[in-house]
Amino acid sequence: MLSYYMEVEPPIIVRFGNNGIVTKQAIGKGEITFEITGGRHFTIDKILYVPGITKHLISISQATTNGIIIEFHYNHAIINLTQSRKWRPY
């Protein structure tokens, strides 16, 4: 669930990795906090709210630009926050 939600004006056009444009635009933004191993948490800010999109998407390029290491495996992914400059576990 988004916290610190605020509407954005004008709406933001969202692009996917294949440069396709979402027909619906982001109308708000906020942040989301996840619980990770050991009861720790981390927060991602500037999460966009796009009505009509039914899946949660993360920008891999934004994550890796901020120092997060992401390893993709057959049926899961491992996210390593230890080198993150922005998304810090607490």
Side-chain angles (χ1 to χ4, degrees):
M1 178 180 300
L2 284 176
S3 56
Y4 302 106
Y5 177 82
M6 60 188 293
E7 292 182 359
V8 293
E9 189 61 43
I12 299 168
I13 295 173
V14 177
R15 296 186 187 272
F16 288 103
N18 65 358
N19 285 328
I21 298 175
V22 175
T23 56
K24 298 192 183 226
Q25 300 174 335
I27 62 168
K29 66 180 178 179
E31 65 181 40
I32 191 165
T33 300
F34 297 92
E35 184 172 341
I36 57 177
T37 306
R40 298 184 307 159
H41 298 83
F42 79 97
T43 300
I44 301 175
D45 62 358
K46 299 179 186 169
I47 300 290
L48 297 178
Y49 170 62
V50 182
I53 291 184
T54 59
K55 302 293 182 190
H56 300 289
L57 306 173
I58 185 169
S59 169
I60 301 304
S61 63
Q62 182 182 8
T64 57
T65 297
N66 285 291
I68 293 175
I69 298 169
I70 303 174
E71 295 177 24
F72 291 96
H73 299 271
Y74 174 71
N75 60 356
H76 69 283
I78 298 172
I79 300 174
N80 183 333
L81 302 170
T82 58
Q83 301 298 315
S84 175
R85 295 186 300 266
K86 188 171 186 178
W87 298 346
R88 295 242 179 235
Y90 59 90

